[in-house]
Amino acid sequence: MTTRWAPAKRDTLRELANEIGHNYGRGRVIIAVDGPPSGSVVTAGLADDLADALRESGLTAFRASVSAFSRRPEGAGRDAAPELDESVFRRVLIEPFRLGGSTGWVEAAYDAEADRPVESSWVTGPADAVLLVDGSDLSRDGLAGIWHYRVWVSADDDRPAARATASAVIDGSDPEHPRRRFDDAC
């Protein structure tokens, strides 16, 4: 039986961080780390690790999650799934981050579990910075134009259309050995 080589997580993330730094090393850059809802823990973990790799490469990186801008619809019961409040997401995170300078932004607006807003904590950063946002279905209408770069993280091939629009596809079936996929032969 032959064993297929699997890259270490740090190697895959360093390569991805180097690519992002090479192509987007100046100005404010917003990166989506996207995946299916069933893989939200893997997607969020990869976004955290990619932010660390970007910092190690000398870039300033910040993190946010779409879930921190999602809430249950008005009047919906506790069983209802939280939905992204796109207006708040854009107004307090995306637009201020893009402005640069000393403009502050908010990295979280809602606590979906408690079903209530959170106290605003304003963040600022340098003119050259990367914001990584994790979530699912980040290529949908209304959000697709936000991202400079989109990483699709998946353990399977359940959403080929979502993969097709990604800048990078990461096979996250083994979280300790994520692999970059370049075509369907991988």
Side-chain angles (χ1 to χ4, degrees):
M1 179 175 168
T2 60
T3 303
R4 189 169 185 186
W5 177 80
K9 180 188 278 189
R10 72 179 184 290
D11 296 331
T12 299
L13 294 171
R14 281 182 188 156
E15 291 287 326
L16 198 52
N18 288 338
E19 178 180 326
I20 292 166
H22 175 77
N23 292 311
Y24 302 100
R26 307 284 299 167
R28 292 284 177 93
V29 178
I30 304 174
I31 297 173
V33 181
D34 196 357
S38 61
S40 62
V41 172
V42 173
T43 303
L46 191 111
D48 290 339
D49 294 340
L50 180 55
D52 290 341
L54 287 163
R55 290 180 192 115
E56 287 174 10
S57 74
L59 295 173
T60 302
F62 296 93
R63 279 281 290 118
S65 178
V66 167
S67 65
F69 295 89
S70 299
R71 62 182 176 166
R72 287 183 187 84
E74 193 85 20
R78 299 270 318 149
D79 293 339
E83 296 176 1
L84 174 64
D85 185 334
E86 190 176 327
S87 174
V88 171
F89 178 69
R90 286 176 174 276
R91 187 177 66 249
V92 302
L93 177 65
I94 300 301
E95 292 168 8
F97 181 82
R98 283 185 173 159
L99 288 174
S102 62
T103 304
W105 64 88
V106 174
E107 293 177 320
Y110 300 111
D111 178 341
E113 286 297 313
D115 197 25
R116 63 178 171 79
V118 296
E119 185 175 330
S120 296
S121 177
W122 294 89
V123 179
T124 61
D128 297 329
V130 178
L131 172 64
L132 291 103
V133 179
D134 74 90
S136 65
D137 199 24
L138 299 181
S139 64
R140 69 180 177 261
D141 290 343
L143 296 182
I146 291 174
W147 321 115
H148 294 93
Y149 192 95
R150 193 171 68 86
V151 178
W152 175 258
V153 183
S154 182
D156 53 36
D157 294 329
D158 62 344
R159 309 233 353 243
R163 278 196 343 252
T165 61
S167 308
V169 177
I170 302 293
D171 178 347
S173 57
D174 180 351
E176 288 308 310
H177 298 93
R179 291 183 307 128
R180 175 92 181 253
R181 294 182 58 166
F182 291 97
D183 62 28
D184 287 338
C186 293

